[in-house]
Amino acid sequence: MKGKSGSVRVNSLTPSGLSAMETHEKRLDQSSVLRVKRDTPPLIYSPYGESLSLQESFNAHNEGAKRNKAAGKIALHAFVQFPTEVPLTPENEQRMLDEAVAFINASHGGRAVFRARLDRDEAGRHGVDVFYAPKYEKVTRRGKVVEDWISLSKFGKEMALARFGERQKKAKGPNSGLFEPVVDADGQPVMERCDSPYFQGQALQDLWTAHLREKMGLEWVERGKKKVGRDPDRLEPEEYKLAEDQKKLQLSLERVDMEREFLAAFKSGEFTLKPAKKPESLNGAFREKPALSPERKERLRLCSKAVCPEVRMTLNEILADKLAQEEKLAELTQREERLKAQEAIIEAAKAEAKAEVMSGLKDDYSTLQRAWATNEATYSVDTEGYWRWWYEAERGTPRHARVNACFESVGGLVGWMAKRFEEVMNEVVRYLTPAAQTEFKNEWIDALDRGDAPEWWAPGDGPSGVTGGSGSMSGLVFRK
């Protein structure tokens, strides 16, 4: 009958149990994380407000109602299982949620359900979690009507009693050790009401099968097999503890495997981490090239939920350190770029200033060179034995100031060149024949008259013994 039958399992919830159910709904507990198979949100029935949580829905449902204050249980949780042969479509999923709510309300007074949920991220998607606390109008012995009274057992007992009525009580015989019918002192059978949790469960299963067939039109549905005994399916304490430990171990191993897969994907670059709002949260971004498949992305999202809080915090600390180092490096890089830009500006200014200076020196050199070549300025040894430039133009004129500036900047260089020229010329004249010396002297005097050659008036001013400027000349004197 697998796939053709449905079932309803009901548990009572304490305040801590209700809180645990909310944690499970939010996928904050370890078992729910490991059961997640896909990233699909659940369908929620929340009659008191879509934005309310499970606890807030219970508070809204409980407001104004009275209950037995001594009772430790505050609500009921029914897991309503539909036949797995029902096709999974968006329409069928919504209908399963609606029908589960309708069934629990119909069988528990009409005002019972305060929240229901159909999970769509797990392997099984044919079950609906229904949370309810049945309300009814309670009439006191004096006839007073209390509008809202909550009872977790009233409707279940009435349901079982209506279906099974009474039967003769049985008890274990002291001699035989077997369960035997109980009779009173007159030999009459002692009757008992069939409203225990066992009978409540049987009645609920019968009604649910009828609902599937009659209300939903699933005529092919078969009722699940009844249990042979009334005892709950349980193990001895030692066996139960061992089984629970094995489950915990298996969950831990699965979590470790998923955590390792997550870290391996992070190391290989399948995704990167971004700063998270909380240190225990993970905020990732998948790489774009090569892009990951949707299935791989979904798998990594599930694996991220299995990462323990300590590892999450460590990853975020490493990310924070890395970002801080990158910011510091970026700051140093920007500072270095600014310094380079400033150095470039300084070097450009230096180059520009140097070019200006060189241009000025070149202009001064050309000016003084022309002044010397045209006898506008000359140099000689002064009375104290120093080489000095002389300028005979009228003082105070712009031209006088200009040539004086050239004396200051490049006068030494031009003077040195003139001195070297004189020495070279004296060496040349020294080796000329008398006739050549006479010809040289005459040509030089002619050049002086034309203004095409420098004029020397004393030793140190030019070739030894060459004078002129007005056609005058003297004999050549050779240095020995």
Side-chain angles (χ1 to χ4, degrees):
M1 293 190 298
K2 185 178 180 180
K4 293 183 176 294
S5 62
S7 64
V8 180
R9 298 194 303 273
V10 179
N11 292 311
S12 301
L13 298 176
T14 61
S16 61
L18 185 66
S19 177
M21 285 294 178
E22 180 170 337
T23 301
H24 179 81
E25 178 178 305
K26 294 179 179 179
R27 296 298 188 253
L28 299 178
D29 60 331
Q30 192 63 38
S31 62
S32 64
V33 169
L34 296 176
R35 288 165 59 182
V36 170
K37 301 300 180 183
R38 61 185 65 84
D39 189 15
T40 307
L43 294 179
I44 300 291
Y45 170 78
S46 184
Y48 295 99
E50 294 182 0
S51 62
L52 298 184
S53 65
L54 176 58
Q55 184 65 54
E56 291 169 340
S57 298
F58 170 76
N59 294 338
H61 181 75
N62 197 53
E63 186 176 358
K66 295 184 178 181
R67 63 170 65 237
N68 184 359
K69 295 182 180 180
K73 307 297 178 63
I74 61 172
L76 295 169
H77 168 235
F79 184 74
V80 182
Q81 175 71 45
F82 287 79
T84 55
E85 288 193 5
V86 174
L88 285 175
T89 64
E91 294 76 16
N92 282 346
E93 288 176 337
Q94 184 62 52
R95 189 183 181 193
M96 283 190 286
L97 177 66
D98 296 339
E99 291 293 341
V101 171
F103 171 73
I104 295 298
N105 271 331
S107 57
H108 292 81
R111 294 187 301 153
V113 180
F114 58 85
R115 191 174 184 84
R117 184 184 76 251
L118 188 150
D119 291 323
R120 298 187 294 174
D121 57 355
E122 299 180 357
R125 297 160 63 186
H126 287 81
V128 179
D129 292 278
V130 182
F131 300 91
Y132 61 106
K135 287 182 180 180
Y136 69 101
E137 291 184 353
K138 183 176 181 180
V139 181
T140 66
R141 293 180 180 179
R142 297 182 181 180
K144 183 180 178 180
V145 177
V146 180
E147 269 198 49
D148 288 325
W149 186 275
I150 292 179
S151 173
L152 304 186
S153 59
K154 176 181 183 299
F155 293 99
K157 289 182 176 181
E158 291 178 354
M159 186 191 316
L161 192 60
R163 193 163 192 84
F164 300 107
E166 295 182 346
R167 68 172 187 173
Q168 187 176 3
K169 185 178 180 180
K170 288 185 179 183
K172 186 179 289 187
N175 297 323
S176 66
L178 302 175
F179 281 94
E180 301 172 351
V182 178
V183 296
D184 59 15
D186 297 329
Q188 299 297 318
V190 176
M191 305 301 292
E192 64 177 356
R193 295 161 59 97
C194 298
D195 59 358
S196 66
Y198 170 81
F199 289 106
Q200 292 179 37
Q202 292 295 320
L204 200 60
Q205 299 302 321
D206 292 341
L207 291 175
W208 178 233
T209 301
H211 184 92
L212 291 173
R213 292 173 179 171
E214 299 169 6
K215 301 296 183 180
M216 296 187 64
L218 305 179
E219 298 179 355
W220 46 267
V221 168
E222 301 177 9
R223 192 194 187 287
K225 292 182 179 180
K226 295 183 180 181
K227 292 166 59 176
V228 176
R230 299 184 186 181
D231 295 334
D233 298 327
R234 64 183 295 277
L235 299 174
E236 292 301 320
E238 295 78 7
E239 295 177 336
Y240 176 78
K241 185 178 183 305
L242 178 60
E244 289 299 307
D245 290 342
Q246 289 177 341
K247 288 181 181 179
K248 291 180 181 179
L249 177 60
Q250 183 62 30
L251 289 175
S252 298
L253 292 176
E254 291 178 3
R255 183 190 63 77
V256 170
D257 289 341
M258 294 176 73
E259 188 175 273
R260 287 178 177 174
E261 184 177 350
F262 176 83
L263 295 176
F266 174 63
K267 183 178 180 180
S268 64
E270 291 186 69
F271 64 92
T272 56
L273 290 178
K274 301 187 296 183
K277 294 182 179 179
K278 297 181 180 180
E280 66 274 11
S281 301
L282 290 175
N283 185 16
F286 295 112
R287 70 184 181 197
E288 296 182 357
K289 293 183 180 180
L292 303 180
S293 65
E295 293 77 11
R296 182 57 178 166
K297 290 181 179 180
E298 184 174 341
R299 174 62 181 175
L300 291 178
R301 289 191 188 99
L302 297 179
C303 290
S304 69
K305 296 179 180 179
V307 179
C308 66
E310 293 78 8
V311 175
R312 292 169 181 257
M313 296 183 69
T314 300
L315 288 175
N316 283 325
E317 289 175 0
I318 294 174
L319 175 62
D321 291 341
K322 179 182 177 183
L323 293 177
Q325 292 177 2
E326 290 178 351
E327 290 178 359
K328 187 175 182 180
L329 179 60
E331 182 181 353
L332 293 175
T333 302
Q334 292 177 357
R335 184 182 301 176
E336 183 179 358
E337 291 177 352
R338 288 196 298 269
L339 291 176
K340 287 183 178 179
Q342 293 175 357
E343 291 177 358
I345 294 174
I346 293 173
E347 291 300 324
K350 287 182 179 179
E352 183 177 356
K354 183 177 180 181
E356 291 179 358
V357 170
M358 293 303 296
S359 177
L361 291 175
K362 183 178 180 181
D363 186 57
D364 290 350
Y365 173 79
S366 299
T367 300
L368 189 55
Q369 184 185 38
R370 287 193 301 270
W372 170 72
T374 58
N375 296 318
E376 187 179 8
T378 186
Y379 78 100
S380 66
V381 180
D382 63 7
T383 56
E384 296 179 357
Y386 294 104
W387 289 90
R388 295 183 60 185
W389 280 96
W390 302 91
Y391 186 55
E392 299 300 334
E394 183 180 355
R395 295 182 180 276
T397 61
R399 183 60 180 171
H400 185 275
R402 171 67 179 132
V403 176
N404 263 340
C406 294
F407 291 164
E408 297 294 331
S409 62
V410 295
L413 176 62
V414 177
W416 178 82
M417 293 177 65
K419 178 182 177 183
R420 290 295 300 153
F421 176 73
E422 175 188 345
E423 293 173 351
V424 171
M425 289 302 299
N426 281 333
E427 291 296 325
V428 173
V429 173
R430 178 181 175 185
Y431 292 103
L432 294 177
T433 62
Q437 291 180 3
T438 301
E439 183 180 356
F440 173 77
K441 178 189 67 174
N442 293 332
E443 290 183 358
W444 193 270
I445 292 174
D446 291 340
L448 289 174
D449 292 337
R450 295 193 304 272
D452 294 337
E455 184 176 3
W456 290 285
W457 292 97
D461 288 342
S464 299
V466 179
T467 60
S470 300
S472 61
M473 56 184 177
S474 61
L476 287 171
V477 178
F478 296 103
R479 292 188 234 177
K480 305 214 179 159

